[in-house]
Amino acid sequence: MLYTSLVMLAFALLGASVGSFLNLCIDRLPLDESILRPPSHCPTCGRRLSALDLVPVLSYLWLHGRCRYCGASIPLRTPMVEAMSGLIFALLYWKFGLSAELGMSLTYTCFLIVIFFIDLEHYLILNKVVYPGIVVAFVFSLFWPGIGLKDSLIGGAVAFAIILIPHLIYPPGMGLGDVRLALMVGLMNGYPQALVAVMLAILGGGLLAAAALALGLKKRGEGLPFGTFLAVGAMVSLLWGQGIYDWYMGWFRG
Ligand SMILES: [Zn+2]
């Protein structure tokens, strides 16, 4: 118990540090900037950030969310991504233990978090993130005991087909980026967990859209970033997909 808690804490710290890098990817990839160079700097004053400025979550707190050098405010998303990555890394260790699945699911998490935030902020699902994601998911399926190549391909095909239909009916509502992302998520989750991911995204997106409309936060016709919901669906399905699927199917077996 103590051992598990300590390792979970270690994975939370690892996740938070990886989250720092994911922030940089979320900042730079939509602008077509390199994620390798230059090192992290303040986007306002351009000062290079020191190790002390880059401690996940804590730097944000003790700098009160402002750049140490020029006082420009740091987006709240920065500590959010770090905290989220830390939490998910710890949860994945708790689920998979030290295993190949853990390494692969941590990699998926990085893709999903970057996609979640870039779609949320820019309404964009970048090919340079999704295409490598598709390749990685395809290769990983060969090494994932519980999924395997066949279930992965079926999952990819099913998710792709489900999201292709709304895209063909109404392209402005569901873009090609969403369709490609569905393929990636389906390959990652495999069948039947891919169904759980897609259904959660459709349900979550639908409910939130209805709520936003009812509260007057959005006008009819204004879109929601579906990729953001699909990333959440994929993550939840990675952690609890089989359980959700069994629970749902249980209703029909009586
Ligand atoms: Zn600054």
Side-chain angles (χ1 to χ4, degrees):
M1 190 60 210
L2 177 68
Y3 171 78
T4 308
S5 314
L6 284 176
V7 185
M8 272 179 83
L9 183 66
F11 272 94
L13 295 175
L14 172 71
S17 319
V18 171
S20 282
F21 174 69
L22 298 180
N23 269 312
L24 186 147
C25 295
I26 296 163
D27 286 332
R28 295 187 187 180
L29 287 174
L31 303 174
D32 247 334
E33 292 174 359
S34 163
I35 53 172
L36 301 175
R37 273 165 289 137
S40 298
H41 55 269
C42 166
T44 307
C45 66
R47 284 284 288 272
R48 183 168 167 181
L49 301 178
S50 71
L52 215 57
D53 302 312
L54 292 168
V55 182
V57 185
L58 295 180
S59 287
Y60 182 88
L61 293 178
W62 77 57
L63 295 171
H64 302 286
R66 298 194 167 276
C67 168
R68 181 199 304 276
Y69 310 103
C70 71
S73 66
I74 303 166
L76 186 60
R77 184 251 287 158
T78 307
M80 270 175 61
V81 168
E82 292 158 352
M84 222 164 112
S85 310
L87 178 70
I88 296 174
F89 272 44
L91 275 174
L92 287 169
Y93 167 72
W94 165 78
K95 174 162 173 76
F96 292 114
L98 291 174
S99 63
E101 286 100 321
L102 177 64
M104 295 189 276
S105 57
L106 296 180
T107 311
Y108 288 168
T109 304
C110 296
F111 277 97
L112 294 173
I113 288 181
V114 167
I115 289 166
F116 176 100
F117 282 99
I118 292 181
D119 199 25
L120 186 66
E121 292 175 4
H122 301 274
Y123 284 75
L124 261 183
I125 300 173
L126 299 171
N127 288 339
K128 62 185 160 191
V129 179
V130 173
Y131 286 154
I134 289 173
V135 174
V136 165
F138 180 81
V139 173
F140 279 6
S141 75
L142 301 168
F143 302 97
W144 196 303
I147 299 180
L149 182 61
K150 187 176 132 233
D151 282 352
S152 171
L153 290 177
I154 298 174
V158 167
F160 179 83
I162 294 176
I163 303 304
L164 183 64
I165 297 166
H167 168 71
L168 293 176
I169 295 171
Y170 186 61
M174 193 72 86
L176 257 185
D178 297 311
V179 182
R180 293 188 196 106
L181 177 61
L183 173 63
M184 181 189 108
V185 163
L187 288 170
M188 284 181 174
N189 286 134
Y191 187 83
Q193 292 90 331
L195 275 181
V196 175
V198 171
M199 289 307 155
L200 285 176
I202 292 173
L203 222 72
L207 286 177
L208 220 74
L213 209 63
L215 295 170
L217 298 172
K218 289 235 177 219
K219 291 188 201 70
R220 198 171 284 276
E222 272 185 329
L224 277 178
F226 186 70
T228 298
F229 290 95
L230 204 46
V232 176
M235 201 62 238
V236 171
S237 185
L238 209 55
L239 281 160
W240 299 290
Q242 190 63 54
I244 296 173
Y245 183 77
D246 292 342
W247 169 80
Y248 182 77
M249 294 312 278
W251 288 92
F252 298 100
R253 289 193 200 102

